[in-house]
């Protein structure tokens, strides 16, 4: 197993057995399924990186469920999938109450004045933040051998990371997995040596990561799309503040931008708009598929569907009955609400255990007999895509026909338990979508015919078409919130040394009232039914709104603070003083003093703190020099103010002494 943190930092010692790691390092381990004892962790580097309970949970999540095994006589079958698990013992994180994460008290968001101190406390919280989830990326090998007791064996190599960098770890597994099974532990040392030389990851950037003679060219998701768990990421740039359509749509704008959205939902393309709404408002969804690669691809595709909105609800790409949270879900009383989460499963037992789940989606098709079908260029799709005929049949769902209507009614009548006898792609939900499927988008999707080579290119094109559309759809949906993130700048001629004004206050009822009168815009009006305002109401009450809104507000406040700070640096203090009355000069002195104290106390995070501090001191001294003598003497009686004015104070004391000498 390879446990990678944000920096992928590794160093390998001379001994093959002794591997040491940097602070943000990598841990190596592999799992083995013993026919007598079950899941076992064979090796772990360094020991103790996980608790005993976490090791057991990771081990169970690293193997396909028994019902998802491939029923063929191939000698070897490899597959790649990933899971997400909650850390049971976490280091100190920012304390945020559940009510702070999911509710708006009295329909309002609090307006805390933003100062250098407030921003510094948030930054310190960010730096002490530790993710409460681990993302596991699995290379699983099943070897069928009739001579063995159960007819085969299986083993997994896993990469664990606090970051959901699927675009990095899945292609890395395609290299590391087969190499490990060929060379053993030497392969892990070989991979570790290269990973140790990788540059620090930069969110939102294209990274070139060398591995042997190959180079992984991967796009990392932008910082504003990364789950913050209990913290706030202050690496977010100002460009991510306003929910406007990005000018460059070729770069990733959310998590799992590399997922095969079209491949995962090719049999349910008409339902994507309904699924988009369910994700938007944070509804619980159960995804069931024949194989782990297929279910985790579908979950990743759903999470990516709402970009650039942050998916704040829990998502589990591959969930098993051994997960500790399954006991809680299974014990929910009749009629109780499910927590907001997306579960990807392969075990049909979940259909009975979680029969009250409000939204159930069945995706994928039974796996083919191909030995290495899951390790091709699309390692995570987990099955053979349908050919020309299958695509036409599925896309024909756009058109109404008696047979399609009867089939839909039969599926609804039978319910999801019909999957116990035969797997079908379908969705079971009572949710009535507001957004209408865009048939013009579906008509643009490309048919690959029967060529596997064309199939790969087709998926790239179709995923791009779908992702661009839903990016535009989500961006337009979030556009009405833009004014609440708009940073202000000091007006010309006014002193920028005071605290910036608060951002526009947000009130739910006032927002809905104004939006109802104004309308959502032409883009949404063409694609939504007349009850479009209901979707905004559900979104405001859902579990995705408040974490996203507060994170955007925090970034906007930080940006506004930077603008005002820069304005104070650029201010010509002499020119400003010349236009002020005596009372205004006194107020200016107090404002500069507050900013200087804040810079001295909280400005360590800024590289130019020393330069800014010197500039503010000179401005303070310049203002002090034009104050009346009696005011000056009153100010220097305060030791703190005197310390800030030490240079001017020496001159003033000499002046006072000189005047006293004249009196005598």
């Amino acid at each position: 197993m390879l446990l990678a943190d944000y920096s992928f930092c590794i160093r390998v010692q001379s001994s093959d057995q002794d591997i040491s790691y940097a602070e943000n390092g990598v841990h190596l381990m592999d799992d083995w399924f013993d026919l007598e004892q079950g899941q076992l962790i064979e090796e772990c580097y360094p020991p103790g990186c996980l608790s005993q309970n976490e090791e057991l949970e990771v081990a169970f999540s690293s193997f396909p469920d028994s019902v998802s095994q491939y029923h063929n006589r191939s000698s070897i079958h490899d597959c790649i999938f990933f899971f997400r698990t909650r850390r049971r013992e976490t280091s100190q994180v920012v304390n945020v109450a559940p009510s702070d994460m999911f509710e708006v008290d009295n329909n309002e968001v609090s307006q805390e004045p933003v100062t250098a101190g407030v921003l510094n406390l948030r930054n310190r919280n960010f730096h002490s933040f530790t993710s409460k989830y681990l993302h596991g990326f699995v290379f699983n090998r099943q070897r069928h051998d009739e001579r063995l007791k159960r007819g085969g064996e299986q083993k997994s190599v896993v990469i664990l990371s606090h970051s959901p960098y699927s675009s990095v770890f899945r292609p890395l597994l395609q290299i590391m997995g087969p190499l490990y099974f060929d060379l053993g532990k030497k392969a892990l040392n070989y991979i570790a040596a290269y990973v140790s030389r990788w540059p620090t990851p930069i969110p939102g950037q294209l990274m070139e990561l060398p591995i042997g003679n190959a180079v992984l060219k991967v796009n990392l998701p932008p910082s504003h799309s990364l789950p913050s768990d209990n913290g706030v990421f202050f690496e977010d740039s100002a460009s991510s503040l306003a929910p406007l359509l990005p000018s460059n749509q070729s770069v990733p704008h959310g998590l799992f931008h590399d997922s095969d959205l079209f491949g995962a939902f090719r049999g349910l393309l008409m339902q994507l708009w309904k699924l988009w709404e369910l994700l938007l408002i944070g509804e619980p969804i159960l995804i069931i598929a024949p194989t782990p690669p297929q279910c985790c691809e579908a979950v990743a595709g759903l999470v990516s569907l709402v970009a650039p909105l942050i998916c704040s609800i829990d998502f589990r790409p591959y969930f098993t009955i051994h997960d500790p949270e399954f006991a809680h879900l299974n014990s929910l009383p009749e009629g109780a609400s499910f927590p907001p989460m997306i579960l990807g499963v392969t075990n049909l037992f979940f259909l009975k255990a979680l029969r009250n789940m409000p939204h159930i989606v069945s995706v994928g098709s039974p796996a083919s007999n191909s030995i290495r079908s899951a390790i091709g260029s699309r390692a995570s799709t987990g099955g053979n895509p349908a050919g020309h005929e299958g695509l036409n049949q599925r896309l024909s769902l756009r058109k109404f026909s008696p047979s399609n209507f009867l089939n839909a009614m039969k599926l609804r009548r039978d319910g999801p338990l019909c999957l116990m006898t035969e797997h079908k792609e379908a969705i079971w939900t009572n949710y009535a979508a507001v957004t209408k499927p865009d048939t013009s988008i579906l008509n643009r999707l490309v048919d690959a015919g029967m060529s596997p080579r064309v199939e790969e290119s087709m998926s790239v094109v179709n995923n791009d078409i779908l992702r661009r559309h839903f990016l535009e759809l989500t961006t337009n949906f979030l556009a009405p919130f833009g004014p609440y993130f708009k940073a202000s700048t000091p007006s010309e001629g006014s002193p920028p040394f005071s605290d910036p004004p608060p951002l526009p206050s947000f009130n739910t009822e006032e927002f809905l009232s104004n939006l109802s009168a104004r309308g959502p815009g032409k883009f949404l009006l063409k694609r939504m039914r007349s009850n479009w305002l209901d979707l905004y109401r559900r979104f405001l009450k859902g579990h995705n709104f408040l974490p996203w809104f507060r994170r955007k507000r925090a970034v906007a406040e930080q940006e506004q603070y930077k603008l005002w700070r820069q304005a104070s640096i650029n201010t010509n203090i002499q020119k400003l003083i010349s236009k002020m009355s005596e009372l205004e000069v006194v107020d200016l002195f107090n404002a500069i003093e507050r900013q200087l104290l804040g810079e001295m106390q909280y400005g360590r995070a800024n590289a130019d703190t020393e330069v800014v501090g010197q500039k503010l001191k000179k401005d303070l001294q310049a203002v002090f020099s034009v104050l009346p003598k009696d005011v000056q003497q009153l100010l220097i009686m305060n030791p703190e103010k005197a310390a800030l004015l030490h240079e001017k104070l020496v001159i003033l004391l000499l002046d006072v002494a000189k005047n006293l000498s004249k009196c005598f």
Side-chain angles (χ1 to χ4, degrees), residues 93-109:
V93 297
V94 183
N95 292 322
V96 179
S99 59
D100 291 337
M101 292 297 293
F102 297 132
E103 295 179 7
V104 182
D105 280 342
N106 300 323
N107 295 323
E108 294 186 2
V109 175

Side-chain angles (χ1 to χ4, degrees), residues 54-356:
E54 287 176 331
E55 286 183 355
L56 187 61
E57 189 174 336
V58 167
F60 276 118
S61 300
S62 300
F63 296 98
D65 280 327
S66 59
V67 295
S68 64
Q69 301 291 324
Y70 297 90
H71 302 288
N72 58 49
R73 308 316 302 166
S74 301
S75 58
I76 293 178
H77 182 90
D78 296 342
C79 70
I80 291 177
F81 58 94
F82 67 105
F83 61 88
R84 186 176 190 244
T85 182
R86 189 187 299 271
R87 297 221 67 173
R88 302 302 158 186
E89 291 87 12
T90 56
S91 58
Q92 182 180 1
V93 297
V94 183
N95 292 322
V96 179
S99 59
D100 291 337
M101 292 297 293
F102 297 132
E103 295 179 7
V104 182
D105 280 342
N106 300 323
N107 295 323
E108 294 186 2
V109 175
S110 62
Q111 302 296 311
E112 180 185 16
V114 179
T115 62
V118 172
L119 286 174
N120 180 71
L121 289 174
R122 290 175 178 170
N123 281 326
R124 286 194 299 186
N125 287 340
F126 163 69
H127 290 300
S128 65
F129 158 74
T130 300
S131 175
K132 61 182 179 182
Y133 290 100
L134 284 177
H135 302 82
F137 299 84
V138 182
F139 182 99
N140 173 259
R141 171 164 290 184
Q142 296 178 346
R143 185 173 69 89
H144 298 268
D145 190 339
E146 295 181 354
R147 295 171 296 180
L148 298 176
K149 185 174 181 179
R150 295 191 182 180
E153 63 179 5
Q154 60 176 328
K155 195 172 185 178
S156 293
V157 179
V158 185
I159 299 176
L160 285 180
S161 174
H162 292 122
S163 304
Y165 290 153
S166 59
S167 58
V168 175
F169 298 126
R170 290 201 286 192
L172 178 61
L173 271 179
Q174 293 182 42
I175 298 173
M176 186 178 75
L179 202 61
Y180 172 78
F181 285 104
D182 290 341
L183 303 178
K185 288 187 293 184
K186 291 182 179 180
L188 300 183
N189 286 328
Y190 176 79
I191 295 294
Y194 279 98
V195 175
S196 66
R197 296 193 289 269
W198 284 2
T200 301
I202 305 175
Q205 298 295 317
L206 175 67
M207 306 289 293
E208 294 191 359
L209 310 174
I211 290 289
N213 295 326
V215 176
L216 301 180
K217 294 185 177 182
V218 297
N219 281 299
L220 296 183
S223 60
H224 66 80
S225 70
L226 296 174
S228 58
D229 290 346
N230 284 340
V232 176
F233 284 99
F234 276 89
E235 274 76 359
D236 293 2
S237 63
S239 61
S240 67
L241 296 179
L244 302 176
L245 189 64
S247 56
N248 185 1
Q249 297 186 35
S250 62
V251 298
H253 297 284
L255 282 183
F256 307 126
H257 58 274
D258 58 324
S259 61
D260 188 3
L261 180 63
F262 172 78
F265 294 98
R266 63 188 305 151
L268 297 170
L269 294 176
M270 283 286 288
Q271 305 296 334
L272 283 179
W273 286 264
K274 179 178 291 188
L275 293 172
W276 173 77
E277 288 190 21
L278 292 175
L279 259 292
L280 199 68
I281 62 180
E283 284 286 302
I285 303 175
L286 179 67
I287 304 287
I288 189 160
T291 66
Q294 288 176 331
C295 75
C296 70
E297 193 75 11
V299 172
L302 282 186
V303 172
S304 72
L305 206 60
V306 294
L309 179 70
I310 306 167
C311 183
S312 297
I313 65 173
D314 190 8
F315 59 89
R316 304 300 180 91
Y318 177 54
F319 190 75
T320 71
I321 60 174
H322 303 287
D323 191 293
E325 294 187 34
F326 170 68
H328 167 68
L329 295 175
N330 195 33
S331 63
L332 289 175
E334 191 76 22
S337 298
F338 276 87
M341 61 195 316
I342 311 170
L343 298 181
V345 303
T346 60
N347 194 333
L348 296 175
F349 174 73
F350 282 102
L351 293 174
K352 295 181 178 179
L354 306 182
R355 59 186 176 276
N356 293 323

Side-chain angles (χ1 to χ4, degrees), residues 538-565:
R538 296 189 191 106
F539 176 62
L540 291 171
K541 293 178 181 178
H543 298 281
N544 282 324
F545 167 68
L546 196 54
W548 168 79
F549 187 86
R550 285 183 169 170
R551 184 160 165 178
K552 291 296 183 186
R553 294 276 285 195
V555 178
E557 289 167 347
Q558 184 196 39
E559 182 63 21
Q560 181 169 261
Y561 169 75
K562 288 180 179 179
L563 291 173
W564 282 66
R565 183 174 181 267

